[in-house]
Amino acid sequence: MAPVSFTEELRAAAGEQWERVVNHKFTVELAKGEIDRDGKGIKKWCKSYEMKCVLKKYLVQDHRFLDAFVVLLATTIAKARTLEDRIPGCQFLALITGQENTYFERSFEVLGIGGAEERMKIPDEAVTSQFVNLMRETASGGSLGEMLSVLVVAEWSYLSWGEKVLAFTNREVDFTTWEWVDLHSGEYFTEVVAYLRGLLDKEGTLLDGVEKKKCKTAFLRAIQLEEDFFDMAYTS
């Protein structure tokens, strides 16, 4: 029987929480095109942020991660052990700063969320600040294993739900729903997750018990924030 990989150990440690994230109602409603998007405009939304505009709230807050995520990924690339380990990360970084960032900008326009100055009037949710802090603190003071642990949660959990909903994704609605699914499923994104998991699995063979525990702490903190973030989109 093949030994269990380090990333599988970490996912097992997350237990039912992992399953709650990858089966969250947000992912199903998004894929079906049934996600709430009936906001009344950015000015009213800013004044009454508790109004139920699930997709808008999610996208505005998710976009706040982008800079911190880029810092974390770039730092991971810099700390990777070989050039071979760095190249796929560089390619993924280009997608994040290109295609994914463009998706946000196009979505903001279609959903009537206004320009950057208007969006800046919307405060960060508590979970957004916590997630940004985790990424930045891990990038500045964490080990390569800890950085990979946070990245693996972010990308592996999204691949898991993306692949799960892909078969029933509704493409008759505007791109704001189905394109987010496409960005987190398919052959290329599967390769990205395999790459990140492979790096973390390799680190797992080099770490002592203390360092492995730090990775587990980072992994579990990240999966908690993933669940909290999905929940946030539905709460006032």
Side-chain angles (χ1 to χ4, degrees):
M1 186 176 184
V4 177
S5 69
F6 187 40
T7 52
E8 288 288 358
E9 288 180 15
L10 294 172
R11 183 172 68 169
E16 292 183 1
Q17 188 164 47
W18 181 274
E19 296 304 317
R20 290 197 300 272
V21 169
V22 302
N23 293 290
H24 199 280
K25 67 177 181 177
F26 177 92
T27 68
V28 175
E29 291 178 0
L30 181 79
K32 289 182 176 180
E34 298 172 354
I35 196 91
D36 173 74
R37 67 174 89 193
D38 296 326
K40 304 302 182 184
I42 189 67
K43 292 184 179 178
K44 278 191 177 181
W45 191 34
C46 285
K47 292 176 182 176
S48 182
Y49 190 54
E50 70 276 12
M51 68 185 294
K52 189 178 180 183
C53 312
V54 174
L55 183 58
K56 292 184 178 185
K57 188 174 183 182
Y58 170 89
L59 289 178
V60 168
Q61 295 297 319
D62 196 273
H63 190 245
R64 302 278 168 88
F65 299 148
L66 192 60
D67 186 56
F69 185 88
V70 167
V71 170
L72 177 59
L73 180 56
T75 306
T76 302
I77 293 166
K79 288 196 173 184
R81 296 179 181 274
T82 67
L83 176 61
E84 182 181 9
D85 289 345
R86 292 189 181 100
I87 290 174
C90 292
Q91 294 166 337
F92 182 47
L93 185 59
L95 182 143
I96 294 295
T97 55
Q99 185 177 355
E100 185 163 317
N101 186 52
T102 300
Y103 161 82
F104 279 110
E105 297 296 339
R106 290 162 51 231
S107 295
F108 293 152
E109 182 176 357
V110 166
L111 294 170
I113 303 180
E117 289 186 7
E118 286 292 323
R119 294 197 302 274
M120 287 303 295
K121 297 175 184 177
I122 303 169
D124 286 353
E125 294 289 332
V127 65
T128 305
S129 297
Q130 292 164 12
F131 224 147
V132 167
N133 289 341
L134 174 64
M135 292 179 188
R136 292 194 180 279
E137 290 168 4
T138 305
S140 65
S143 66
L144 177 59
E146 289 172 283
M147 289 188 283
L148 285 165
S149 295
V150 175
L151 289 172
V152 165
V153 169
E155 305 312 304
W156 193 12
S157 66
Y158 267 56
L159 174 67
S160 297
W161 71 253
E163 288 292 325
K164 189 180 291 285
V165 304
L166 189 60
F168 58 82
T169 295
N170 181 358
R171 299 180 184 278
E172 300 301 316
V173 293
D174 69 65
F175 72 89
T176 59
T177 55
W178 56 261
E179 192 169 313
W180 195 238
V181 175
D182 286 352
L183 282 167
H184 297 99
S185 59
E187 182 178 358
Y188 174 68
F189 194 59
T190 298
E191 291 173 356
V192 168
V193 172
Y195 155 72
L196 293 171
R197 287 187 60 195
L199 291 184
L200 184 52
D201 285 336
K202 183 164 64 175
E203 285 301 299
T205 68
L206 304 173
L207 301 177
D208 60 23
V210 172
E211 292 302 314
K212 283 186 175 182
K213 187 174 181 179
K214 290 179 181 178
C215 290
K216 180 180 177 181
T217 298
F219 190 98
L220 295 180
R221 178 60 176 152
I223 197 64
Q224 177 67 62
L225 290 172
E226 291 288 1
E227 182 176 21
D228 292 346
F229 193 78
F230 277 148
D231 289 345
M232 172 276 300
Y234 291 89
T235 59
S236 59

